Amino acid sequence: GEPKGQIFKESDACFPVSNYGLSKYWGEQQTRLYNKLYGLPTTSIRFFSVYGSPQIPKKGSHSWAVAIFGALAKKGKPITVFGDGNQIRDFTHVSDIAESVVRSIDNDSTNGKFFNSGTGKPTTVNDIVKYVFENIDEVPIQYKPHPKGDPLGGYSDVTLMKKYLNWEPEISLDDGIKEYFEWLKTLEVAPVVKNLHLKGESIINEKIENAIKKRFIKSDDQENIHKLCQTIMAEFLHEPSVNLRTLAKTMESDMMIG
């Protein structure tokens, strides 16, 4: 639901405004219950506006602004911003998201808990446009009426994350967006690489497995490593069969961003 003010705290009452949000809340309560009743080690982490390579545009998304704006600008297409562009999000690089997951796995203090994983810093959609244009040639911006029911958003309270993990995200928005556009430059919208999903899976698996090894998780625990990789990939990519032809088609279409 909407935060009190602009900051999302774990202690806020939950009143989901979508079936997607409701499913997330149900999952948190289910895992919490299994921890309480059966002692199953569980942790729920609330990701905030994940971005970074190899993310690709997802039509209708409210938090994939970096990927959507980048894809449109790469094609020389106008960027659409709904409302006045002052909607707030908390953009968090995928490498920091992965690190928060790994540290949670390696820390018993998170058992039975749920917490935010974000930067704790508010960023407007207009800010994202500015950062994008620092990395690629500018294109026209089209402002359209704000969709009914679209939340103005907010950013994360990261007090619990810092407490449980003794850590906070390290990648600045400036550096994170630069990283994304460096990756984007390596892509050619052609059927040379037929399956971007597999390419993305390989990149994410490598990132997370390296992070796991840095935390000294047993290297032979392949089952849990694989499950972690798949979980992050599913959250990050969302689509199970995206290829470059789909990317090219999506880039041609008019995409929503809040």
Side-chain angles (χ1 to χ4, degrees):
E2 289 287 342
K4 295 178 180 179
Q6 288 187 326
I7 189 165
F8 285 93
K9 297 183 178 182
E10 295 88 345
S11 58
D12 291 342
C14 285
F15 297 99
V17 296
S18 67
N19 286 324
Y20 175 77
L22 182 60
S23 70
K24 292 288 189 180
Y25 183 60
W26 180 89
E28 284 185 355
Q29 295 305 307
Q30 187 75 354
T31 54
R32 181 192 63 80
L33 190 61
Y34 267 68
N35 174 264
K36 183 177 180 179
L37 295 180
Y38 310 115
L40 182 70
T42 65
T43 304
S44 296
I45 306 178
R46 298 176 176 179
F47 299 161
F48 277 75
S49 299
V50 187
Y51 76 96
S53 64
Q55 193 177 57
I56 61 170
K58 182 176 185 291
K59 187 174 182 180
S61 170
H62 296 277
S63 58
W64 289 39
V66 176
I68 292 174
F69 292 170
L72 289 171
K74 187 177 175 69
K75 290 288 290 181
K77 300 289 185 179
I79 287 174
T80 298
V81 175
F82 288 85
D84 60 7
N86 287 320
Q87 304 92 315
I88 295 294
R89 301 290 184 268
D90 186 345
F91 290 90
T92 311
H93 195 272
V94 64
S95 296
D96 283 330
I97 292 291
E99 183 70 15
S100 71
V101 173
V102 172
R103 286 175 175 266
S104 177
I105 290 174
D106 199 33
N107 193 330
D108 290 340
S109 69
T110 64
N111 283 344
K113 306 292 196 312
F114 59 88
F115 62 91
N116 297 328
S117 180
T119 67
K121 300 174 183 178
T123 301
T124 68
V125 174
N126 287 330
D127 289 334
I128 295 299
V129 173
K130 181 190 72 172
Y131 280 115
V132 166
F133 287 166
E134 289 176 359
N135 290 275
I136 200 168
D137 290 341
E138 294 189 19
V139 296
I141 304 172
Q142 298 177 343
Y143 286 88
K144 294 185 178 181
H146 198 273
K148 184 178 179 180
D150 184 38
L152 294 178
Y155 61 101
S156 62
D157 182 323
V158 294
T159 303
L160 288 181
M161 180 188 72
K162 292 179 180 179
K163 174 183 176 181
Y164 294 148
L165 306 184
N166 191 29
W167 170 86
E168 58 185 304
E170 301 172 349
I171 299 178
S172 69
L173 188 59
D174 186 23
D175 289 341
I177 291 180
K178 285 180 181 178
E179 180 276 333
Y180 181 76
F181 276 90
E182 286 299 316
W183 171 79
L184 196 62
K185 289 177 183 177
T186 67
L187 292 183
E188 292 294 336
V189 183
V192 176
V193 181
K194 293 185 177 180
N195 198 322
L196 183 61
H197 173 73
L198 294 179
K199 183 179 179 68
E201 179 178 5
S202 175
I203 293 172
I204 293 175
N205 284 353
E206 181 179 356
K207 285 182 179 180
I208 299 179
E209 288 182 17
N210 285 340
I212 290 174
K213 290 174 183 177
K214 285 196 298 182
R215 296 290 118 218
F216 305 108
I217 299 294
K218 291 182 179 180
S219 60
D220 59 352
D221 191 3
Q222 294 300 314
E223 181 178 356
N224 282 332
I225 289 176
H226 180 72
K227 286 180 179 179
L228 176 59
C229 292
Q230 294 299 316
T231 299
I232 297 297
M233 186 186 70
E235 180 70 28
F236 186 48
L237 293 180
H238 286 278
E239 300 295 341
S241 58
V242 178
N243 54 45
L244 283 176
R245 291 183 182 180
T246 303
L247 174 58
K249 183 177 180 182
T250 303
M251 289 164 69
E252 294 286 351
S253 66
D254 193 14
M255 289 171 284
M256 275 185 64
I257 182 67

